Amino acid sequence: MNRNLVFILLAFAACTQKPVQENINTSEAKEREYIRAIEGEDEDLNLEEITRGEVLISYSDCAECHKEDKRAKGPAFQNIAKRYPNTQAYIDLLTRKVISGGTGSWGSPIMSPHPELKEEDAKAMVSYILSLEK
């Protein structure tokens, strides 16, 4: 009788552990699909530009839709940094996106346009975002 109980408990434990592992793998796969990291070599970013960008973001309306480390209405800044390499080409691309707005890059959220933002300020802000730990 004891052997049967041990066998049932071991079988139950084995069955319950597998879905937990599958959920972890599914969650990781969803996160990778959400971020869709772009391959590329990072370039050195200007520390002064990064610092200026951090200050500009702190005085902007970015926090209404973005948080540094978790999704809100829009993607987390750290997820943006994980997706895009630190290159001038991507800084230019994201600068245009900040100024003109857009949709579709991160699902259904709409990036509001910021036409009043100077290009050099938007570049500094994007440089700060891309500098965040990946």
Side-chain angles (χ1 to χ4, degrees):
M1 195 66 96
N2 259 350
R3 290 173 82 180
N4 288 340
L5 182 59
V6 170
F7 177 74
I8 291 170
L9 288 175
L10 288 174
F12 178 75
C15 290
T16 59
Q17 287 178 355
K18 191 172 184 180
V20 171
Q21 183 63 34
E22 287 176 3
N23 286 341
I24 292 169
N25 291 340
T26 302
S27 176
E28 290 171 0
K30 284 181 183 177
E31 187 69 12
R32 277 194 304 274
E33 177 60 28
Y34 175 71
I35 293 173
R36 294 187 326 260
I38 298 170
E39 294 293 323
E41 282 293 316
D42 289 339
E43 297 172 0
D44 291 333
L45 296 173
N46 181 314
L47 183 58
E48 186 176 304
E49 184 96 342
I50 292 168
T51 304
R52 193 166 75 81
E54 182 178 16
V55 171
L56 288 167
I57 285 177
S58 70
Y59 285 100
S60 74
D61 66 347
C62 296
E64 291 179 23
C65 298
H66 300 279
K67 305 295 178 220
E68 186 170 318
D69 60 350
K70 61 184 175 189
R71 290 186 215 178
K73 291 178 186 175
F77 288 149
Q78 288 179 353
N79 287 345
I80 296 169
K82 288 177 184 177
R83 178 178 285 183
Y84 297 101
N86 299 333
T87 66
Q88 194 58 51
Y90 284 108
I91 291 172
D92 292 343
L93 171 81
L94 295 172
T95 295
R96 286 191 301 276
K97 194 141 225 186
V98 167
I99 293 171
S100 63
T103 186
S105 297
W106 294 91
S108 59
I110 297 171
M111 174 73 176
S112 301
H114 299 83
E116 74 288 348
L117 197 57
K118 295 179 190 172
E119 185 175 340
E120 62 269 13
D121 290 344
K123 280 186 179 187
M125 295 164 88
V126 169
S127 293
Y128 165 71
I129 293 166
L130 293 183
S131 76
L132 296 172
E133 280 195 39
K134 300 192 181 243

